[in-house]
Amino acid sequence: MRKIRFFIALWAGKLLLFVFKRIGRTRDDKPGMASMRLCEDFLAQVAKPELTIAVTGTNGKTSISSMVAEMLSKQGLTVSYNDWGANHHAGQARCILDTVSIFNKPVKDACVIESDELISPINIPRIKPNYMIVNNVARDSMLRNANPEYIAGQLRKACDGSPETVVIINADDPLCCFIGEKNRKVYFGADYLHTNPFENIAKDFSVCPVCGASVKYEYRNYRHIGKFICTDCGVATPARDFLSKGVSADSTSISVEEKAGCFDYPLISRGVHNVYNTTAIVALMRDLGNSPEEVAHLLSVTKLPEFRETRHFVDDVEVICRVAKGQNATSVSTVFEHLAKDESKKELIILLDEIFDNPKKQETVAWIYDTDYEFLNNDNIRKIVIGGPRCKDHYLRLLLAGLPKEKICCVKDIFETAKLVDHKGVDKIFILHDVNCVSRGHAVRDAVIEHIKAKGGKVNAR
Amino acid sequence: MRVEVLFPEFCNLFGDTGNIRFIKASVPDAEIINTDNRSVPYFVNGDVDMIYIGSMSERKQEIAVSRLLPYKDRLMELIENGVVVLATGNALELFGKHIKDKDEIIPMLDMFDFSTDRYIQEIRHNSMFIGEFEGMKIVGYKSQFSSCSGNFAEPFIKVNGGYGNDVDDKSEVKYEGLRYKNLFATYLLGPFLVLNPPFTKYILRLMGHDGSLAFEEEAMDAYNERVECLEDESTVFWMDEHG
């Protein structure tokens, strides 16, 4: 009976997938949803490709999984990947549906699954991936993720439920580096990167998980990520199997030390979190048996997903549209820190509310008091335009962060924000938008570009 | 004005630090004492005008209780003497008898006659809130894996919209939080004082301050808009993961 139910679920899913592909809805989860509804343990019963890789953790999942999928494809493997951000049950089922035939035989070489960390205790033991990358655990939306300790507990259960999975884990993250006691673990990390990290308001790791004493950092690279030790009980950063030793002067490559030596790899994007993302990928690809040269080559021809960041030049001003996850103090603070350290003169448009469609609807703004708006109190930032239904809350938060009123504009209609920035005399205009309003963020970016053009600005070919 | 913040290194989960930032901005000469979990609280041997404790993880509740238990009598003495105590989020639960987590009973400070049920493997409760306290509208959010019931000395806030202490309570009149003299404990979490400038003025006055606030106009503007939204008939108080 269990088998019959499974095959009905498989065939229903495959049929829907076929139809959806024919009508161009290739990124729709419904085939996966149908299979999961018809057979609860569909993910356990469906055959998996020879290589299945899950990527989870709070930040960096999409970047890492998309790069891994692209690199495997460039090696000539056929790869299925839930690249549309559908990292829940249905999206994962839809992704795996694409890797099997109607007889439940694998028809693809590999499957890369971006997996939401909250559901990982359910899905990872069912999928039993060959590898699971855990990039970090940090403060995220309280509504769904509660708190980092809770998420670390979920990941621990996921590892415990799939002990045969090799866990590639960030040794520099004290919130997650101790999970997976039963798994083979490959630790990655980074030496001190001289990033001079700012102090954050919200400290996700402040006391030793064993004895409650204060932890000492030998160094921090960003937020709670770094080399730590508890001087009371001795709990410390595990030895790293892959350790990034340094970033080149032009920030285009990193040296990664491992047992076989120290090798250089291209760094596809700046920012300390990208050093960790890249080191995680190097650890995976090397553990899969690829040579350092092959991994370096693959990295050199791989790109980050475009929706995370776009850049345009208009009248010699760089217009940068970038994701900063609303409700996620870690993500937004990291972006704010990057903006503060970027010495160019700039104006910002901030669109971080999740709910735009109903101005009457409320959403929590508690997270903005965990977010380091203080970093924006910086001479390089000439003006901040806040847009969205909760703009008054962001405005008050900026005032409490010490920003002068004359630097801040506040408007509910996000499309009005484009008219409030001035490109004269600045090097860059940033548009920061929530991950759930990518198209709106891009529309505001286009409105900014049009606004500059209307003032006589010319698009530069760069 | 001397304000002691208990265990800020982990009682800070949901933007709770905003409360103290707002007090400090409003009363620049206030002395803020941050007491970490390995230190003897300042209130044990010294005088304070206010004690604040914010939201923490479930595991940290046990650490917090173990640190406060030796000083429970002194804490009660200060409450009896009218010292302002504010607890936000699940810090409320510390003042009850115990937390029941499946078959486990985790003792709390046992200062008041209520207890907590924890349901961490079930759906997290997320909701918006509007209520009333001494003629003031109180707004905020809840996000929790637990719910409490029992005898709350004097309920803190009458619920106008949203959920009370027991989130399953279907009574017509519901209450949120615990109030005893100048102890105010509420599941409403995070920057409670920033979200509620009238209440902030109220407690500042309890401490002898004139009640003027930093960025009062802007804080009241955001507050009035939130009250208006939450009083709208179409408001749905239960929140999904996107608000």
Short mmCIF file of all heavy atoms in Angstrom, two decimals, chain A residues 366-420:
data_model
loop_
_atom_site.label_atom_id
_atom_site.label_comp_id
_atom_site.label_asym_id
_atom_site.label_seq_id
_atom_site.Cartn_x
_atom_site.Cartn_y
_atom_site.Cartn_z
N ALA A 366 10.18 44.80 15.74
CA ALA A 366 11.10 44.55 16.85
C ALA A 366 12.53 44.37 16.34
O ALA A 366 13.48 44.84 16.95
CB ALA A 366 10.64 43.31 17.63
N TRP A 367 12.67 43.70 15.20
CA TRP A 367 13.99 43.37 14.67
C TRP A 367 14.85 44.60 14.39
O TRP A 367 16.08 44.51 14.41
CB TRP A 367 13.86 42.52 13.40
CG TRP A 367 13.25 43.25 12.24
CD1 TRP A 367 11.92 43.44 11.98
CD2 TRP A 367 13.95 43.90 11.18
NE1 TRP A 367 11.76 44.16 10.84
CE2 TRP A 367 12.98 44.46 10.32
CE3 TRP A 367 15.30 44.07 10.86
CZ2 TRP A 367 13.32 45.18 9.18
CZ3 TRP A 367 15.64 44.78 9.72
CH2 TRP A 367 14.66 45.33 8.90
N ILE A 368 14.22 45.75 14.15
CA ILE A 368 15.04 46.92 13.80
C ILE A 368 15.83 47.42 15.01
O ILE A 368 16.80 48.15 14.84
CB ILE A 368 14.23 48.05 13.12
CG1 ILE A 368 13.28 48.76 14.09
CG2 ILE A 368 13.49 47.53 11.91
CD1 ILE A 368 12.54 49.94 13.44
N TYR A 369 15.41 46.98 16.22
CA TYR A 369 16.19 47.36 17.41
C TYR A 369 17.32 46.37 17.69
O TYR A 369 18.10 46.57 18.61
CB TYR A 369 15.26 47.59 18.60
CG TYR A 369 14.55 48.90 18.40
CD1 TYR A 369 13.36 48.97 17.69
CD2 TYR A 369 15.13 50.10 18.82
CE1 TYR A 369 12.74 50.19 17.42
CE2 TYR A 369 14.53 51.32 18.56
CZ TYR A 369 13.34 51.35 17.87
OH TYR A 369 12.76 52.57 17.60
N ASP A 370 17.38 45.29 16.93
CA ASP A 370 18.55 44.40 16.94
C ASP A 370 19.51 44.75 15.82
O ASP A 370 20.58 44.16 15.70
CB ASP A 370 18.10 42.94 16.73
CG ASP A 370 17.66 42.28 18.02
OD1 ASP A 370 18.00 42.80 19.09
OD2 ASP A 370 16.96 41.25 17.94
N THR A 371 19.06 45.64 14.95
CA THR A 371 19.82 45.96 13.73
C THR A 371 20.65 47.23 13.96
O THR A 371 20.18 48.18 14.57
CB THR A 371 18.84 46.15 12.55
OG1 THR A 371 18.04 44.98 12.46
CG2 THR A 371 19.57 46.37 11.25
N ASP A 372 21.86 47.21 13.43
CA ASP A 372 22.80 48.30 13.72
C ASP A 372 22.61 49.49 12.80
O ASP A 372 23.44 49.78 11.92
CB ASP A 372 24.23 47.75 13.62
CG ASP A 372 24.50 46.68 14.65
OD1 ASP A 372 24.70 47.02 15.82
OD2 ASP A 372 24.48 45.49 14.29
N TYR A 373 21.52 50.21 13.01
CA TYR A 373 21.29 51.44 12.24
C TYR A 373 22.37 52.47 12.57
O TYR A 373 22.62 53.38 11.78
CB TYR A 373 19.90 52.01 12.55
CG TYR A 373 18.77 51.30 11.83
CD1 TYR A 373 18.45 49.99 12.13
CD2 TYR A 373 18.03 51.95 10.85
CE1 TYR A 373 17.42 49.34 11.47
CE2 TYR A 373 17.00 51.31 10.18
CZ TYR A 373 16.70 50.00 10.49
OH TYR A 373 15.68 49.35 9.84
N GLU A 374 23.01 52.29 13.71
CA GLU A 374 24.09 53.21 14.10
C GLU A 374 25.21 53.24 13.05
O GLU A 374 25.87 54.26 12.89
CB GLU A 374 24.67 52.79 15.46
CG GLU A 374 23.81 53.14 16.68
CD GLU A 374 22.56 52.28 16.84
OE1 GLU A 374 22.37 51.32 16.07
OE2 GLU A 374 21.75 52.58 17.74
N PHE A 375 25.42 52.12 12.35
CA PHE A 375 26.48 52.08 11.34
C PHE A 375 26.24 53.11 10.22
O PHE A 375 27.17 53.50 9.52
CB PHE A 375 26.58 50.68 10.70
CG PHE A 375 26.98 49.58 11.66
CD1 PHE A 375 26.85 48.25 11.29
CD2 PHE A 375 27.51 49.86 12.91
CE1 PHE A 375 27.22 47.22 12.15
CE2 PHE A 375 27.88 48.84 13.79
CZ PHE A 375 27.73 47.52 13.40
N LEU A 376 24.97 53.48 10.04
CA LEU A 376 24.64 54.42 8.95
C LEU A 376 24.94 55.86 9.34
O LEU A 376 24.85 56.76 8.50
CB LEU A 376 23.17 54.28 8.57
CG LEU A 376 22.73 52.89 8.08
CD1 LEU A 376 21.25 52.89 7.72
CD2 LEU A 376 23.56 52.45 6.87
N ASN A 377 25.27 56.08 10.60
CA ASN A 377 25.62 57.42 11.06
C ASN A 377 27.06 57.70 10.66
O ASN A 377 27.98 57.63 11.47
CB ASN A 377 25.42 57.50 12.58
CG ASN A 377 25.42 58.93 13.07
OD1 ASN A 377 25.56 59.87 12.27
ND2 ASN A 377 25.27 59.10 14.37
N ASN A 378 27.23 58.01 9.39
CA ASN A 378 28.56 57.99 8.79
C ASN A 378 28.63 59.12 7.76
O ASN A 378 27.69 59.32 6.99
CB ASN A 378 28.72 56.61 8.11
CG ASN A 378 30.07 56.39 7.52
OD1 ASN A 378 30.49 57.13 6.65
ND2 ASN A 378 30.74 55.36 7.99
N ASP A 379 29.74 59.84 7.75
CA ASP A 379 29.87 60.99 6.85
C ASP A 379 29.78 60.61 5.38
O ASP A 379 29.44 61.45 4.54
CB ASP A 379 31.22 61.69 7.09
CG ASP A 379 31.22 62.41 8.44
OD1 ASP A 379 30.12 62.64 8.98
OD2 ASP A 379 32.32 62.71 8.95
N ASN A 380 30.10 59.36 5.05
CA ASN A 380 30.05 58.96 3.64
C ASN A 380 28.62 58.79 3.14
O ASN A 380 28.40 58.66 1.94
CB ASN A 380 30.78 57.61 3.45
CG ASN A 380 32.25 57.75 3.76
OD1 ASN A 380 32.83 58.80 3.54
ND2 ASN A 380 32.83 56.70 4.31
N ILE A 381 27.68 58.73 4.05
CA ILE A 381 26.27 58.57 3.65
C ILE A 381 25.61 59.95 3.72
O ILE A 381 25.44 60.51 4.80
CB ILE A 381 25.57 57.54 4.55
CG1 ILE A 381 26.24 56.17 4.37
CG2 ILE A 381 24.08 57.47 4.22
CD1 ILE A 381 25.80 55.12 5.35
N ARG A 382 25.25 60.47 2.54
CA ARG A 382 24.76 61.85 2.51
C ARG A 382 23.28 61.91 2.85
O ARG A 382 22.81 62.83 3.50
CB ARG A 382 24.98 62.43 1.10
CG ARG A 382 24.77 63.91 1.02
CD ARG A 382 25.20 64.46 -0.30
NE ARG A 382 24.31 64.06 -1.40
CZ ARG A 382 24.49 64.43 -2.67
NH1 ARG A 382 25.54 65.17 -2.99
NH2 ARG A 382 23.66 64.04 -3.60
N LYS A 383 22.53 60.95 2.38
CA LYS A 383 21.09 60.97 2.62
C LYS A 383 20.54 59.54 2.69
O LYS A 383 21.04 58.65 2.00
CB LYS A 383 20.37 61.72 1.50
CG LYS A 383 18.89 61.98 1.79
CD LYS A 383 18.13 62.32 0.55
CE LYS A 383 18.33 63.75 0.09
NZ LYS A 383 17.55 64.02 -1.14
N ILE A 384 19.52 59.34 3.52
CA ILE A 384 18.84 58.05 3.60
C ILE A 384 17.36 58.27 3.33
O ILE A 384 16.73 59.10 4.01
CB ILE A 384 19.03 57.40 4.99
CG1 ILE A 384 20.52 57.14 5.25
CG2 ILE A 384 18.24 56.10 5.10
CD1 ILE A 384 20.83 56.70 6.66
N VAL A 385 16.84 57.58 2.34
CA VAL A 385 15.41 57.67 2.03
C VAL A 385 14.78 56.35 2.45
O VAL A 385 15.15 55.28 1.97
CB VAL A 385 15.18 57.91 0.52
CG1 VAL A 385 13.69 58.04 0.25
CG2 VAL A 385 15.95 59.13 0.04
N ILE A 386 13.83 56.45 3.37
CA ILE A 386 13.14 55.26 3.86
C ILE A 386 11.78 55.18 3.19
O ILE A 386 11.03 56.16 3.20
CB ILE A 386 12.90 55.36 5.39
CG1 ILE A 386 14.21 55.49 6.14
CG2 ILE A 386 12.07 54.20 5.90
CD1 ILE A 386 14.89 54.20 6.42
N GLY A 387 11.48 54.04 2.60
CA GLY A 387 10.18 53.88 1.97
C GLY A 387 9.44 52.67 2.49
O GLY A 387 10.05 51.68 2.90
N GLY A 388 8.11 52.75 2.49
CA GLY A 388 7.30 51.60 2.89
C GLY A 388 6.36 51.93 4.03
O GLY A 388 6.48 52.96 4.68
N PRO A 389 5.42 51.02 4.29
CA PRO A 389 4.39 51.27 5.31
C PRO A 389 4.95 51.52 6.72
O PRO A 389 4.33 52.21 7.51
CB PRO A 389 3.54 49.99 5.31
CG PRO A 389 3.88 49.28 4.06
CD PRO A 389 5.24 49.71 3.65
N ARG A 390 6.09 50.95 7.03
CA ARG A 390 6.64 51.09 8.39
C ARG A 390 7.72 52.18 8.45
O ARG A 390 8.56 52.18 9.32
CB ARG A 390 7.26 49.77 8.87
CG ARG A 390 6.36 48.55 8.79
CD ARG A 390 5.41 48.46 9.97
NE ARG A 390 4.20 49.24 9.71
CZ ARG A 390 3.20 48.81 8.93
NH1 ARG A 390 3.25 47.67 8.35
NH2 ARG A 390 2.14 49.58 8.74
N CYS A 391 7.67 53.11 7.50
CA CYS A 391 8.76 54.09 7.40
C CYS A 391 8.91 54.92 8.67
O CYS A 391 10.02 55.33 9.04
CB CYS A 391 8.61 54.96 6.17
SG CYS A 391 7.11 55.94 6.14
N LYS A 392 7.80 55.17 9.38
CA LYS A 392 7.90 56.00 10.59
C LYS A 392 8.69 55.27 11.68
O LYS A 392 9.37 55.90 12.48
CB LYS A 392 6.51 56.36 11.11
CG LYS A 392 5.82 57.38 10.24
CD LYS A 392 4.45 57.74 10.76
CE LYS A 392 3.83 58.78 9.83
NZ LYS A 392 2.43 59.05 10.21
N ASP A 393 8.57 53.96 11.72
CA ASP A 393 9.34 53.18 12.70
C ASP A 393 10.83 53.21 12.36
O ASP A 393 11.67 53.36 13.24
CB ASP A 393 8.85 51.73 12.72
CG ASP A 393 7.43 51.62 13.25
OD1 ASP A 393 7.18 52.12 14.35
OD2 ASP A 393 6.58 51.05 12.55
N HIS A 394 11.14 53.08 11.08
CA HIS A 394 12.56 53.14 10.67
C HIS A 394 13.12 54.54 10.94
O HIS A 394 14.28 54.68 11.32
CB HIS A 394 12.69 52.79 9.19
CG HIS A 394 12.34 51.37 8.85
ND1 HIS A 394 13.20 50.31 9.06
CD2 HIS A 394 11.21 50.83 8.34
CE1 HIS A 394 12.62 49.19 8.66
NE2 HIS A 394 11.41 49.47 8.23
N TYR A 395 12.29 55.53 10.71
CA TYR A 395 12.71 56.93 10.92
C TYR A 395 13.08 57.14 12.40
O TYR A 395 14.15 57.66 12.73
CB TYR A 395 11.57 57.85 10.51
CG TYR A 395 11.83 59.32 10.67
CD1 TYR A 395 13.01 59.89 10.18
CD2 TYR A 395 10.91 60.16 11.29
CE1 TYR A 395 13.24 61.26 10.32
CE2 TYR A 395 11.13 61.52 11.43
CZ TYR A 395 12.31 62.06 10.95
OH TYR A 395 12.54 63.40 11.10
N LEU A 396 12.20 56.69 13.29
CA LEU A 396 12.48 56.82 14.73
C LEU A 396 13.74 56.05 15.10
O LEU A 396 14.57 56.53 15.89
CB LEU A 396 11.27 56.30 15.52
CG LEU A 396 11.40 56.29 17.05
CD1 LEU A 396 11.67 57.68 17.60
CD2 LEU A 396 10.13 55.71 17.69
N ARG A 397 13.88 54.88 14.51
CA ARG A 397 15.07 54.06 14.81
C ARG A 397 16.35 54.79 14.38
O ARG A 397 17.36 54.77 15.10
CB ARG A 397 14.96 52.71 14.08
CG ARG A 397 16.16 51.79 14.25
CD ARG A 397 16.29 51.27 15.67
NE ARG A 397 17.52 50.53 15.88
CZ ARG A 397 18.68 51.07 16.25
NH1 ARG A 397 18.77 52.38 16.49
NH2 ARG A 397 19.75 50.32 16.42
N LEU A 398 16.31 55.43 13.20
CA LEU A 398 17.48 56.18 12.72
C LEU A 398 17.78 57.36 13.64
O LEU A 398 18.95 57.66 13.92
CB LEU A 398 17.26 56.66 11.29
CG LEU A 398 17.38 55.59 10.20
CD1 LEU A 398 16.79 56.09 8.89
CD2 LEU A 398 18.84 55.20 10.00
N LEU A 399 16.74 58.02 14.14
CA LEU A 399 16.96 59.14 15.07
C LEU A 399 17.61 58.63 16.35
O LEU A 399 18.55 59.25 16.87
CB LEU A 399 15.63 59.84 15.39
CG LEU A 399 14.95 60.57 14.23
CD1 LEU A 399 13.61 61.14 14.67
CD2 LEU A 399 15.83 61.69 13.68
N LEU A 400 17.11 57.50 16.86
CA LEU A 400 17.71 56.94 18.08
C LEU A 400 19.13 56.45 17.83
O LEU A 400 19.92 56.30 18.77
CB LEU A 400 16.84 55.80 18.62
CG LEU A 400 15.57 56.25 19.35
CD1 LEU A 400 14.60 55.09 19.56
CD2 LEU A 400 15.90 56.90 20.70
N ALA A 401 19.46 56.20 16.57
CA ALA A 401 20.83 55.80 16.22
C ALA A 401 21.74 57.01 16.08
O ALA A 401 22.92 56.86 15.78
CB ALA A 401 20.83 55.00 14.92
N GLY A 402 21.16 58.19 16.25
CA GLY A 402 21.98 59.40 16.25
C GLY A 402 22.06 60.13 14.93
O GLY A 402 22.82 61.09 14.79
N LEU A 403 21.28 59.70 13.94
CA LEU A 403 21.34 60.39 12.65
C LEU A 403 20.56 61.70 12.73
O LEU A 403 19.48 61.75 13.32
CB LEU A 403 20.77 59.51 11.54
CG LEU A 403 21.80 58.53 11.00
CD1 LEU A 403 21.67 57.18 11.66
CD2 LEU A 403 21.71 58.41 9.49
N PRO A 404 21.09 62.75 12.12
CA PRO A 404 20.36 64.03 12.13
C PRO A 404 19.13 63.97 11.23
O PRO A 404 19.16 63.31 10.18
CB PRO A 404 21.40 65.02 11.60
CG PRO A 404 22.41 64.22 10.88
CD PRO A 404 22.40 62.83 11.47
N LYS A 405 18.08 64.65 11.65
CA LYS A 405 16.81 64.61 10.90
C LYS A 405 17.00 65.03 9.45
O LYS A 405 16.35 64.50 8.55
CB LYS A 405 15.79 65.53 11.56
CG LYS A 405 15.25 64.99 12.86
CD LYS A 405 14.21 65.92 13.45
CE LYS A 405 13.77 65.40 14.81
NZ LYS A 405 12.79 66.25 15.48
N GLU A 406 17.89 66.02 9.22
CA GLU A 406 18.02 66.57 7.87
C GLU A 406 18.62 65.57 6.88
O GLU A 406 18.58 65.77 5.68
CB GLU A 406 18.83 67.87 7.87
CG GLU A 406 20.19 67.81 8.52
CD GLU A 406 20.15 68.05 10.03
OE1 GLU A 406 19.07 67.92 10.64
OE2 GLU A 406 21.21 68.35 10.60
N LYS A 407 19.16 64.47 7.40
CA LYS A 407 19.73 63.45 6.50
C LYS A 407 18.69 62.42 6.07
O LYS A 407 18.98 61.55 5.26
CB LYS A 407 20.85 62.69 7.24
CG LYS A 407 22.25 63.14 6.91
CD LYS A 407 23.23 62.11 7.47
CE LYS A 407 24.62 62.39 7.01
NZ LYS A 407 25.56 61.35 7.46
N ILE A 408 17.52 62.45 6.68
CA ILE A 408 16.56 61.35 6.47
C ILE A 408 15.30 61.84 5.77
O ILE A 408 14.75 62.89 6.13
CB ILE A 408 16.15 60.73 7.83
CG1 ILE A 408 17.36 60.50 8.72
CG2 ILE A 408 15.40 59.42 7.61
CD1 ILE A 408 17.01 60.21 10.17
N CYS A 409 14.85 61.09 4.77
CA CYS A 409 13.53 61.32 4.16
C CYS A 409 12.70 60.08 4.40
O CYS A 409 13.22 58.97 4.44
CB CYS A 409 13.65 61.52 2.65
SG CYS A 409 14.52 62.99 2.18
N CYS A 410 11.43 60.28 4.53
CA CYS A 410 10.55 59.19 4.95
C CYS A 410 9.29 59.26 4.12
O CYS A 410 8.60 60.28 4.12
CB CYS A 410 10.27 59.43 6.44
SG CYS A 410 9.24 58.25 7.24
N VAL A 411 8.99 58.21 3.35
CA VAL A 411 7.82 58.25 2.48
C VAL A 411 7.22 56.84 2.39
O VAL A 411 7.94 55.85 2.31
CB VAL A 411 8.20 58.82 1.08
CG1 VAL A 411 9.30 58.00 0.43
CG2 VAL A 411 7.02 58.92 0.17
N LYS A 412 5.88 56.77 2.42
CA LYS A 412 5.25 55.44 2.43
C LYS A 412 5.26 54.78 1.06
O LYS A 412 5.44 53.57 0.95
CB LYS A 412 3.81 55.57 2.92
CG LYS A 412 3.75 55.84 4.39
CD LYS A 412 2.43 55.48 4.99
CE LYS A 412 2.55 55.63 6.49
NZ LYS A 412 1.37 55.26 7.19
N ASP A 413 5.03 55.56 0.02
CA ASP A 413 5.00 55.01 -1.33
C ASP A 413 6.44 54.75 -1.79
O ASP A 413 7.20 55.70 -2.01
CB ASP A 413 4.30 56.00 -2.26
CG ASP A 413 4.20 55.48 -3.68
OD1 ASP A 413 4.83 54.43 -4.00
OD2 ASP A 413 3.51 56.11 -4.50
N ILE A 414 6.78 53.50 -1.95
CA ILE A 414 8.19 53.20 -2.24
C ILE A 414 8.64 53.78 -3.58
O ILE A 414 9.82 54.08 -3.76
CB ILE A 414 8.49 51.67 -2.20
CG1 ILE A 414 7.68 50.91 -3.23
CG2 ILE A 414 8.27 51.12 -0.81
CD1 ILE A 414 8.15 49.46 -3.40
N PHE A 415 7.71 53.97 -4.50
CA PHE A 415 8.11 54.51 -5.80
C PHE A 415 8.41 56.01 -5.74
O PHE A 415 9.03 56.55 -6.64
CB PHE A 415 7.05 54.17 -6.86
CG PHE A 415 6.95 52.67 -7.06
CD1 PHE A 415 5.89 51.95 -6.53
CD2 PHE A 415 7.96 51.99 -7.72
CE1 PHE A 415 5.83 50.58 -6.68
CE2 PHE A 415 7.90 50.61 -7.87
CZ PHE A 415 6.83 49.90 -7.34
N GLU A 416 7.95 56.65 -4.67
CA GLU A 416 8.29 58.06 -4.46
C GLU A 416 9.75 58.22 -4.03
O GLU A 416 10.32 59.29 -4.14
CB GLU A 416 7.37 58.67 -3.39
CG GLU A 416 5.93 58.86 -3.83
CD GLU A 416 5.81 59.88 -4.96
OE1 GLU A 416 6.40 60.97 -4.85
OE2 GLU A 416 5.14 59.56 -5.97
N THR A 417 10.32 57.15 -3.51
CA THR A 417 11.70 57.25 -2.99
C THR A 417 12.68 57.63 -4.09
O THR A 417 13.66 58.33 -3.85
CB THR A 417 12.16 55.92 -2.36
OG1 THR A 417 12.08 54.88 -3.34
CG2 THR A 417 11.32 55.55 -1.15
N ALA A 418 12.39 57.15 -5.32
CA ALA A 418 13.32 57.40 -6.44
C ALA A 418 13.51 58.88 -6.70
O ALA A 418 14.58 59.32 -7.11
CB ALA A 418 12.80 56.70 -7.69
N LYS A 419 12.45 59.67 -6.44
CA LYS A 419 12.53 61.11 -6.71
C LYS A 419 13.29 61.86 -5.62
O LYS A 419 13.61 63.03 -5.76
CB LYS A 419 11.11 61.69 -6.81
CG LYS A 419 10.30 61.10 -7.94
CD LYS A 419 8.87 61.64 -7.87
CE LYS A 419 7.97 60.86 -8.84
NZ LYS A 419 6.55 61.00 -8.50
N LEU A 420 13.53 61.19 -4.52
CA LEU A 420 14.12 61.88 -3.37
C LEU A 420 15.64 61.73 -3.28
O LEU A 420 16.26 62.32 -2.41
CB LEU A 420 13.46 61.38 -2.06
CG LEU A 420 11.97 61.72 -1.96
CD1 LEU A 420 11.34 61.00 -0.76
CD2 LEU A 420 11.76 63.22 -1.82
#
